[in-house]
Amino acid sequence: MVDRRGFGDSPDTERSDYAVDAEDLGQLLDREAHLVGHSYGAAAVMLAASAQPAAVRSLTLIEPSPLRTAAGHPTVAAALERIRASFGDLGPELSAEDYLRHSTEPYGLPMPEPTPRLLRAVRSGMRERPVWDAELALGPLAGATMPKAVINGTWDTAHPDHREFTGTALMACGEYLAGAIGARHVRVSGAGHAPHQDRPDEVNAVLTRLWES
């Protein structure tokens, strides 16, 4: 398990960046490995796999968030406008706790306990390059021969406001990416943006089948 810079047990960083994350992963690919990336992390593993396909035994994207790759889909295009409007105009004086509240309560999500570890992650998130606007070339992944899977939740148990704001777009993006790179698309019922946490047994079964292939 690899923590991105500025998150978990990794060192602080001035600005989180999926391209830098991909370079960090590339340094770990001194032997073949299975790459799994969730949300923002999906962009990093996509870039790492594109750069070193021979070192990647399989690629799994869980709820991938680089929405711009599927901007031709009207649902995704509308979500991009909403997200840019909601998060693009936040002032630099906003505290990490207020940013956390802005990212949860308006969409029907409970405000998590603002522990020091969580607020550090929030501060990193506030400074990161937005993944929804990532421009990623899909050709290298489409031509790569490693087994691939894209996993989405069905968002059927999510709060309607959260599903409307991002959920429908993430599902459409996942389906688009799976088709574009030649991946199996898996929908996990009863899961939202974190199917590996909401339905771990189902996601682990998908990974096991993929890795054994």
Side-chain angles (χ1 to χ4, degrees):
M1 298 292 291
V2 181
D3 290 328
R4 295 172 52 215
R5 296 184 185 214
F7 294 85
D9 295 324
S10 289
D12 289 333
T13 183
E14 184 175 341
R15 188 181 190 213
S16 300
D17 187 302
Y18 46 82
V20 175
D21 293 343
E23 293 175 0
D24 290 340
L25 288 175
Q27 294 181 27
L28 299 176
L29 289 175
D30 53 350
R31 59 179 180 174
E32 292 184 357
H34 298 282
L35 291 185
V36 182
H38 168 241
S39 194
Y40 195 106
V45 297
M46 289 170 70
L47 289 172
S50 296
Q52 300 185 57
V56 179
R57 300 187 67 182
S58 73
L59 176 68
T60 303
L61 312 177
I62 301 177
E63 286 277 309
S65 298
L67 297 177
R68 191 169 178 174
T69 58
H73 193 294
T75 299
V76 177
L80 277 170
E81 291 187 11
R82 290 195 301 270
I83 294 169
R84 288 165 180 157
S86 180
F87 289 93
D89 297 330
L90 297 178
E93 71 282 353
L94 194 69
S95 70
E97 188 166 345
D98 286 341
Y99 186 93
L100 181 61
R101 182 173 291 105
H102 176 79
S103 304
T104 54
E105 291 180 348
Y107 315 110
L109 301 174
M111 169 78 169
E113 181 184 356
T115 63
R117 185 177 177 90
L118 177 57
L119 291 178
R120 173 182 180 258
V122 171
R123 284 189 290 271
S124 296
M126 293 171 68
R127 298 191 299 266
E128 68 189 6
R129 182 152 60 133
V131 70
W132 53 79
D133 266 329
E135 293 188 76
L136 306 178
L138 301 181
L141 291 181
T145 59
M146 82 280 288
K148 309 159 204 165
V150 178
I151 302 174
N152 280 106
T154 57
W155 289 75
D156 46 337
T157 59
H159 192 284
D161 292 341
H162 192 203
R163 184 170 61 246
E164 180 180 355
F165 188 77
T166 56
T168 54
L170 286 167
M171 288 187 285
C173 181
E175 183 175 15
Y176 175 87
L177 282 176
I181 67 174
R184 178 189 177 203
H185 188 216
V186 180
R187 298 172 178 85
V188 179
S189 298
H193 188 48
H196 54 300
Q197 295 174 336
D198 296 336
R199 294 290 185 269
D201 290 345
E202 292 188 35
V203 173
N204 285 341
V206 173
L207 293 175
T208 298
R209 289 194 296 271
L210 188 72
W211 294 351
E212 289 178 345
S213 70

